[in-house]
Structure formats: C-alpha cells, structure tokens
Amino acid sequence: GENVEQHPSTLSVQEGDSAVIKCTYSDSASNYFPWYKQELGKRPQLIIDIRSNVGEKKDQRIAVTLNKTAKHFSLHITETQPEDSAVYFCAASKAGRRALTFGSGTRLQVQP
Amino acid sequence: DTGVSQNPRHKITKRGQNVTFRCDPISEHNRLYWYRQTLGQGPEFLTYFQNEAQLEKSRLLSDRFSAERPKGSFSTLEIQRTEQGDSAMYLCASSFGDVNTEAFFGQGTRLTVV
C-alpha cells in the first residue's frame, strides 16, 4: 500500500521567515496531495491541495510543489506568522482509492 | 453548525466494554471516512463508505470494530471488548464528488480505555 514519509518532525522559525515541509510517497499511481493544518485540540483543516496534472500551486503565503518523477511534494509557507504555529500533515491518495494516507506530521513553531 | 459533527467528544471506558461513536457528515456529502489518530501521528485510515456501502476497510480494523452507515446519512463506529491499545482520537471525515476532493473532518471522539 501507499506509504507517505514527512520531514522534519519539528520546525522552529522566526516570524517572517519561510518554512518548508517535505513529503515523499511510494505509490506512483497517487494523484491527489492535500496538506492539512491541525491546531492543538482541533480538527485537521485543508489548507491547500495539488493534483498530479500540475507541478505547483500557490494561495497567498502558501505554496505546494510536486515532483512526480521523484515522488515528492513540499509545502512552502512564506512570511510566517505566530498563528501559523500548528501541526501540518501531508497526505496522498489515488483514483479508485478515496482514502488518504497521511504523513506523520510536522510541528511548526513560529517564534514572535 | 453545518460541518461534520461527532459525538461524544470524549469517552472513558473500562477495558472490555463496548463503545459506539456517531458521525453526522455534511448533509450533501456521499462519502464518509473513519480515521484513528494517536498522539504525535497522522490520521490512519480505518474504513470508507460511499453512500450506505462500505467500500473499503483497513487491516487495522480488527473483528472487534464495526461500522455502519444506514441510509447513507450518519455513521456509527462500534468497538467491542475495548483494549487499552484502542485509546486514540477517532476522526470522521466526509467529502462529495467523483474525483478526489476536500475531505472535511469532524472534531473527533477521544477514547480513553482504562
């Protein structure tokens, strides 16, 4: 089955700096890659997603890049703010299997 | 609140007891998923419904676990003869459509088996 690896497990940055979280996946048939943000005690919420027919997607301060050949995708957050502090999960799924396989998460801490 | 709703939010039970959780998805969503999340880990897939049909079950879902979605609306997840290893957050999510689309998560039911 699909395996998604995520790193780093923790990331501390100064406010205003950029943060990058990387994930690799094992199943070359995977074609949907969402990123979820989970604040302490709250539900995971989608922040951005990308499908395999594009290499990059941007939404304000957040961007995701996908390299299908290398089977890895990354989340980029620019101009980080303290409210960006949370755990971020990458995930992957493929057509015909709707369930998401999640990475183990990255705890991002933005120091004011 | 029109989001995914889960009840109860917290459940403490003694080992060996049965527990049942409920999930009410977003009303027009035809797909419903159950995940389990332990501390410091990402959600792990348990099972998936399309309307009332249970289309996939993870090997994590032992014989003590059963899920239903009668009439394709709300869903229940039952754990029989609970074990301490069942302690986790149980998350429900729902989505709509034929292609991969956003899955909306509920706030989860935190189960503690003592």
Side-chain angles (χ1 to χ4, degrees):
Chain A
E2 174 69 278
N3 183 49
V4 177
E5 295 191 356
Q6 181 173 349
H7 59 95
S9 57
T10 59
L11 180 59
S12 182
V13 299
Q14 290 295 125
E15 182 177 358
D17 288 349
S18 296
V20 180
I21 302 170
K22 298 182 179 182
C23 289
T24 60
Y25 61 98
S26 60
D27 191 340
S28 56
S30 290
N31 62 354
Y32 177 63
F33 307 93
W35 286 87
Y36 282 83
K37 175 183 181 182
Q38 188 174 29
E39 296 178 44
L40 190 63
K42 297 191 176 181
R43 71 188 77 194
Q45 291 192 300
L46 181 78
I47 56 171
I48 195 167
D49 58 12
I50 191 168
R51 290 174 175 78
S52 58
N53 57 344
V54 297
E56 184 173 359
K57 184 177 178 180
K58 190 172 181 180
D59 182 4
Q60 299 182 348
R61 297 186 298 109
I62 294 172
V64 57
T65 58
L66 171 64
N67 184 326
K68 286 180 60 179
T69 303
K71 289 190 285 187
H72 68 69
F73 56 113
S74 300
L75 177 71
H76 304 253
I77 305 174
T78 58
E79 301 171 23
T80 53
Q81 301 167 3
E83 51 264 39
D84 293 330
S85 296
V87 179
Y88 292 80
F89 293 100
C90 63
S93 71
K94 62 183 178 182
R97 184 176 191 268
R98 310 297 177 183
L100 294 167
T101 300
F102 283 85
S104 55
T106 296
R107 181 172 299 279
L108 173 65
Q109 190 163 14
V110 180
Q111 307 284 355
Chain B
D1 185 358
T2 56
V4 178
S5 176
Q6 291 188 246
N7 288 287
R9 293 289 308 280
H10 304 273
K11 179 71 177 178
I12 300 174
T13 191
K14 291 184 178 180
R15 190 175 52 186
Q17 297 295 304
N18 299 343
V19 293
T20 300
F21 310 142
R22 176 176 170 130
C23 171
D24 287 274
I26 294 172
S27 60
E28 65 269 24
H29 286 186
N30 57 337
R31 295 193 166 84
L32 186 146
Y33 315 80
W34 285 98
Y35 291 84
R36 180 172 67 189
Q37 186 176 27
T38 53
L39 198 62
Q41 298 298 316
E44 295 177 296
F45 169 72
L46 293 179
T47 191
Y48 153 64
F49 290 86
Q50 181 169 319
N51 299 312
E52 67 275 11
Q54 189 174 20
L55 296 187
E56 187 176 353
K57 293 193 292 185
S58 164
R59 54 185 166 80
L60 293 175
L61 214 65
S62 75
D63 291 345
R64 297 184 297 105
F65 288 70
S66 62
E68 294 182 342
R69 192 184 182 196
K71 303 177 184 178
S73 56
F74 71 92
S75 175
T76 58
L77 178 68
E78 181 183 16
I79 309 174
Q80 296 182 327
R81 305 181 303 281
T82 52
E83 302 172 356
Q84 286 189 321
D86 297 331
S87 296
M89 176 72 83
Y90 290 84
L91 292 165
C92 176
S94 69
S95 68
F96 177 77
D98 290 331
V99 296
N100 287 316
T101 56
E102 179 178 357
F104 292 82
F105 280 84
Q107 291 193 300
T109 294
R110 181 169 296 285
L111 173 66
T112 302
V113 182
V114 297

